[in-house]
Amino acid sequence: MSLFLVNRYLGEEEDGSASKKSRSEALLAKLRQKAKEKQKQSLTEQRQPPPEEQAEQQDFKKKRKAEKESSQTPQPHKKRKSVVEPSFASDSDCKDEPIKEKKKAKKSANEKKKEDQSVKVETQVIGSAGQEDAQGEAEKAETENDTPTQTTEKTSPPTGFTVLGGFENKPVQKVHRVLPQWLAQPDMIHRDIKSNLVPFSDMPGLSSHLMKKLQNNGIQHLFPVQAEVIPAILESTQQGLLIGRGGYKPRDICVSAPTGSGKTLAFVIPVIQVLMERVVCEVRALAVLPTKELAQQVCKVFTSYAEGTNLKVVMVAGQKSFAAEEASLSEHRGGKRRSLADIVVATPGRLVDHINKNSGFCLEHLRFLIIDEADRMIDSMHQSWLSQVVKAVYRSGSGPEAMSIFRRTEPAHVTAASLSPPQMPLQKLLFSATLTQNPEKLQQLGLHQPRLFSSIHSQSSTAAPNQTQDRFDFPQGLTEYYVPCTLSKKPLLILHFILRMKLSPVLCFTNSRETAHRLYLLVQLFGGVQAAEFSSRLSPGERKRTLKEFEQGKIQLLISTDAAARGIDINGVKCVVNYDAPQYIRAYIHRIGRTARAGKAGLAFTFLLGVQEKNFLQMVVEAGSPGIQKQIVKPENLKGMEARYEQTLQELANAIKDEKAK
Ligand SMILES: Nc1ncnc2c1ncn2[C@@H]1O[C@H](COP(=O)(O)OP(=O)(O)OP(=O)(O)O)[C@@H](O)[C@H]1O
């Protein structure tokens, strides 16, 4: 319903409603006629205009485009103009006319436009059905006129329906991941270990005791990650254990450096140096690792460098009984608890057990929380081990000790009141070869003003739009190969690597413990190769012994699940074979990182079935691999072993049957 009647000047002879009506009908007829003509023309006229006409048309189109653009600004009256200018857009109308004629046509079209405007206003007010039709026709003409000639010719169906534009499916733009500044601009660590060794003399803060220890352990220089991270940790404890630099809580430290780059000493050395001067024995450093083997390995390094100091290192990873671990952590004398550990190395499960069930285990003096293999530890956060540790650290804040001057309260919002009493800081130190750049995941760690040390150069605040996964750094001395193969030839290939190519010691990874066991049995039955398996089928004691024998060179081929993929530092592994291609890039990086450690050279082979090739190679390249080469093993090279292999397969079937029967 119209609220206002807009009266317009309609010209001298248009004063009667009858004449207005007849005039609008005449106009409507004219428009219909034009629309029909245009339709016919678009169907019949296929010929290309001569070149001079084309140029003229182009000028004309440009002009029209400019007009169209200006009409897109909110000027409703101008837009109306196009309704009554069908001749302008219709190339056919002006194609054969001289310019003068065109001007004339334009003039008359303008006149028509004025008349049409008045008609339109009238029709809106009156709102009769016939007039709505007229408007529809006029709008159709407008749409047709707005559509470029080419499109009209190609897309207008002969029925005269017009396909409205602007709704085509646009490709969805990928969201760029914007990294927080601390992740986007890390402190850089040199990738090349060998050419960036740092002499001890360039590390002025290092204690003479530790320097001597390092030298005794055959270490003459510091690796780049150690040269960057050790001073950063020492700097945060310059004013003692109780307060950070300038009285502020020290920044948490995250380290992302390749496998075998020496991350363990990057935290062991500064922690020992800071705690060496302590007077009272309390748990001040806690290192959490995902597996027993890794905890054992780190505990060994801590123990080695704490030797000759008063510091006590204790491991709680389930290697011993709970009671034995309890006894090694603390004792009760004269009704008082006394800590027997300064540094605790733990796995998350056993750690939580001690927090909850061992009243002698106290974390209230904890200064360093070291999270090694941090990305893996984030994944195990569902065990809520971190929140339990934090709760245990700030336990005293609610007890009677809360009144003491060095009370600890969980950090919250910074206010003048919250900052006034000195707080013993809890500093987190994170280490990984595949540290995630996903801020959401990192957030779970509750980091305080984190500082990142990384060896990945191409980090920018915005990840590339086609980047679907994190990028990692690969060890410098590593050469990667993939070997196209079939499922049945895989065992032959591994035998070929050891017996013909003499690549041992080989660390071979499978995706399941069943495959590891079958392959182990097969190699045993084939003969000629000293092999062992390493998986959860073995007891912790057996696993420890196996690793030791492998390191001593007694085992040529160690067939393992991912149990030995992370962190395990075995000296002298020349070659890693991915018997089964790993499904995730992190698994691949950790597996191949068991060779080419500490700046040495190493080889990594991945057996790939035809169907796996494309996806696997894409995954590796996207992760930042410097290049993976194709290694073809010719079938004739395996021929000599085939007869024996067939026989072994039968023996294997029997051996498995026997095992099942047992
Ligand atoms: N400065 C050094 N000089 C010589 N050897 C070193 C030095 N630092 C570490 N190493 C040796 O390098 C090897 C790899 O060190 P480490 O296990 O700490 O690597 P990592 O970075 O933790 O590897 P991963 O990510 O696989 O756990 C170890 O055998 C260690 O003894």
Side-chain angles (χ1 to χ4, degrees):
M1 195 180 85
S2 302
L3 290 176
F4 304 102
L5 174 68
V6 181
N7 286 316
R8 291 267 170 98
Y9 175 65
L10 298 171
E12 267 147 37
E13 80 251 49
E14 295 179 352
D15 46 356
S17 66
S19 71
K20 264 190 270 167
K21 204 174 175 184
S22 63
R23 196 166 167 69
S24 74
E25 273 166 4
L27 255 173
L28 179 61
K30 233 180 194 176
L31 277 170
R32 278 184 175 150
Q33 180 66 22
K34 282 221 179 244
K36 266 184 197 163
E37 272 171 26
K38 201 173 166 284
Q39 219 173 55
K40 266 188 212 163
Q41 232 155 3
S42 66
L43 285 172
T44 53
E45 203 176 83
Q46 295 295 325
R47 73 169 183 95
Q48 276 288 96
E52 66 275 13
E53 279 179 18
Q54 275 183 7
E56 210 177 281
Q57 279 174 31
Q58 261 169 6
D59 280 351
F60 195 58
K61 277 180 195 166
K62 270 184 204 163
K63 237 197 244 169
R64 219 181 115 53
K65 202 179 165 198
E67 276 177 19
K68 228 173 126 185
E69 275 166 9
S70 65
S71 75
Q72 273 167 4
T73 52
Q75 291 169 346
H77 293 296
K78 271 197 177 172
K79 210 180 171 205
R80 280 264 179 253
K81 208 174 171 180
S82 65
V83 175
V84 287
E85 277 180 353
S87 58
F88 260 50
S90 169
D91 292 349
S92 57
D93 276 359
C94 47
K95 226 184 294 184
D96 300 316
E97 282 172 4
I99 295 170
K100 259 189 191 175
E101 287 293 311
K102 269 192 249 163
K103 277 185 184 167
K104 245 192 208 172
K106 192 176 175 183
K107 208 177 161 192
S108 65
N110 278 340
E111 281 166 15
K112 274 181 213 159
K113 178 196 77 185
K114 273 184 204 163
E115 289 162 2
D116 189 55
Q117 273 179 345
S118 60
V119 172
K120 269 190 166 282
V121 172
E122 283 298 316
T123 51
Q124 277 173 11
V125 174
I126 297 160
S128 81
Q131 280 152 344
E132 270 169 23
D133 268 2
Q135 196 174 342
E137 282 289 335
E139 274 169 8
K140 199 163 80 186
E142 177 189 31
T143 323
E144 281 175 13
N145 289 337
D146 276 353
T147 319
T149 324
Q150 210 186 352
T151 327
T152 319
E153 277 174 2
K154 282 191 179 166
T155 56
S156 289
T159 50
F161 288 109
T162 307
V163 179
L164 295 175
F167 305 108
E168 69 273 9
N169 275 343
K170 285 180 191 158
V172 181
Q173 281 201 337
K174 280 199 173 163
V175 178
H176 291 237
R177 190 168 73 183
V178 178
L179 297 176
Q181 209 184 0
W182 71 273
L183 275 177
Q185 290 165 2
D187 289 57
M188 293 310 297
I189 300 169
H190 289 292
R191 237 186 103 213
D192 185 358
I193 295 177
K194 274 189 181 165
S195 46
N196 291 290
L197 293 170
V198 178
F200 295 143
S201 53
D202 287 5
M203 290 274 298
L206 212 59
S207 84
S208 56
H209 164 83
L210 286 171
M211 260 196 259
K212 224 172 161 183
K213 268 264 159 227
L214 286 164
Q215 279 164 347
N216 288 347
N217 289 341
I219 291 174
Q220 306 299 331
H221 298 92
L222 292 175
F223 285 171
V225 66
Q226 296 156 357
E228 291 291 332
V229 176
I230 295 172
I233 299 174
L234 291 179
E235 191 197 8
S236 63
T237 55
Q238 252 173 6
Q239 290 172 353
L241 279 180
L242 294 177
I243 44 169
R245 196 167 167 230
Y248 295 106
K249 191 173 184 273
R251 295 175 73 176
D252 290 334
I253 286 174
C254 303
V255 180
S256 176
T259 49
S261 61
K263 293 185 288 292
T264 313
L265 283 182
F267 61 81
V268 167
I269 298 291
V271 166
I272 298 269
Q273 173 147 342
V274 170
L275 300 186
M276 227 153 75
E277 306 297 329
R278 65 107 178 107
V279 179
V280 180
C281 178
E282 288 290 355
V283 180
R284 295 178 204 270
L286 170 65
V288 191
L289 294 110
T291 63
K292 278 182 190 142
E293 282 76 25
L294 285 182
Q296 218 167 354
Q297 192 175 290
V298 167
C299 186
K300 203 171 150 190
V301 182
F302 262 124
T303 310
S304 157
Y305 286 88
E307 207 184 8
T309 69
N310 289 328
L311 295 177
K312 308 233 168 51
V313 184
V314 172
M315 185 173 81
V316 288
Q319 296 283 70
K320 294 188 212 159
S321 68
F322 187 80
E325 284 179 355
E326 223 173 2
S328 61
L329 283 170
S330 63
E331 64 177 5
H332 279 85
R333 263 209 220 151
K336 276 212 152 198
R337 182 199 70 89
R338 207 168 72 92
S339 174
L340 298 175
D342 295 283
I343 298 164
V344 171
V345 183
T347 50
R350 205 49 173 228
L351 175 66
V352 169
D353 281 351
H354 281 283
I355 290 173
N356 294 326
K357 296 175 196 160
N358 179 356
S359 58
F361 184 55
C362 171
L363 290 177
E364 287 163 26
H365 301 265
L366 194 69
R367 173 63 175 76
F368 297 108
L369 174 59
I370 302 142
I371 308 176
D372 202 0
E373 304 296 343
D375 58 309
R376 170 79 192 279
M377 296 305 294
I378 294 172
D379 292 341
S380 65
M381 215 60 102
H382 58 272
Q383 294 173 356
S384 73
W385 65 269
L386 181 60
S387 61
Q388 304 231 32
V389 169
V390 172
K391 229 194 271 169
V393 168
Y394 297 106
R395 203 174 271 164
S396 65
S398 52
E401 284 176 53
M403 298 312 288
S404 93
I405 186 152
F406 286 122
R407 75 188 167 89
R408 293 186 104 174
T409 51
E410 215 170 323
H413 302 293
V414 175
T415 60
S418 74
L419 286 177
S420 50
Q423 288 244 16
M424 157 106 106
L426 171 66
Q427 190 176 21
K428 292 178 191 136
L429 312 174
L430 268 70
F431 293 83
S432 176
T434 51
L435 190 70
T436 177
Q437 283 186 3
N438 185 341
E440 267 176 48
K441 280 196 168 186
L442 289 165
Q443 200 195 7
Q444 296 179 52
L445 296 166
L447 299 174
H448 171 74
Q449 295 186 354
R451 183 176 174 191
L452 174 66
F453 291 86
S454 175
S455 54
I456 300 165
H457 295 268
S458 59
Q459 282 179 341
S460 62
S461 59
T462 315
N466 57 351
Q467 191 181 320
T468 52
Q469 63 178 33
D470 287 334
R471 289 177 73 83
F472 304 108
D473 214 351
F474 290 61
Q476 197 96 94
L478 182 77
T479 315
E480 293 165 82
Y481 296 97
Y482 71 95
V483 186
C485 66
T486 59
L487 207 56
S488 59
K489 289 281 181 294
K490 278 185 181 186
L492 269 180
L493 278 175
I494 196 92
L495 290 164
H496 170 74
F497 273 36
I498 294 173
L499 296 172
R500 300 271 167 84
M501 289 170 75
K502 310 272 179 226
L503 283 174
S504 58
V506 171
L507 179 54
C508 170
F509 287 102
T510 63
N511 284 352
S512 72
R513 62 181 211 166
E514 285 73 28
T515 313
H517 184 58
R518 282 172 70 96
L519 181 61
Y520 163 69
L521 289 178
L522 190 136
V523 174
Q524 288 279 79
L525 291 168
F526 190 90
V529 179
Q530 286 295 324
E533 63 180 315
F534 186 90
S535 72
S536 56
R537 281 177 63 91
L538 275 64
S539 68
E542 285 171 323
R543 291 215 295 258
K544 194 177 167 185
R545 198 176 54 243
T546 307
L547 283 183
K548 203 172 172 189
E549 284 177 2
F550 186 54
E551 196 158 15
Q552 288 168 346
K554 291 180 186 166
I555 295 167
Q556 285 176 289
L557 172 66
L558 183 63
I559 304 161
S560 173
T561 57
D562 279 330
R566 259 184 194 262
I568 298 283
D569 183 48
I570 310 164
N571 233 335
V573 178
K574 258 197 220 164
C575 173
V576 167
V577 172
N578 288 312
Y579 182 85
D580 291 331
Q583 286 167 352
Y584 303 103
I585 190 64
R586 282 188 164 80
Y588 177 70
I589 288 170
H590 287 285
R591 282 180 181 187
I592 61 173
R594 296 316 99 207
T595 185
R597 297 176 72 75
K600 294 188 191 125
L603 301 170
F605 293 89
T606 303
F607 294 173
L608 288 182
L609 306 177
V611 287
Q612 294 174 322
E613 255 182 56
K614 190 172 163 252
N615 286 347
F616 180 81
L617 296 177
Q618 189 185 341
M619 173 177 89
V620 170
V621 169
E622 277 182 8
S625 160
I628 179 163
Q629 302 162 38
K630 191 173 187 171
Q631 172 80 37
I632 293 174
V633 179
K634 288 180 188 158
E636 54 264 33
N637 291 340
L638 307 176
K639 273 246 154 65
M641 295 191 291
E642 265 172 9
R644 173 86 193 105
Y645 174 57
E646 292 300 327
Q647 196 190 328
T648 312
L649 281 180
Q650 282 173 6
E651 290 167 21
L652 176 69
N654 293 333
I656 289 173
K657 251 188 221 161
D658 286 353
E659 259 190 11
K660 275 187 184 161
K662 273 182 200 168

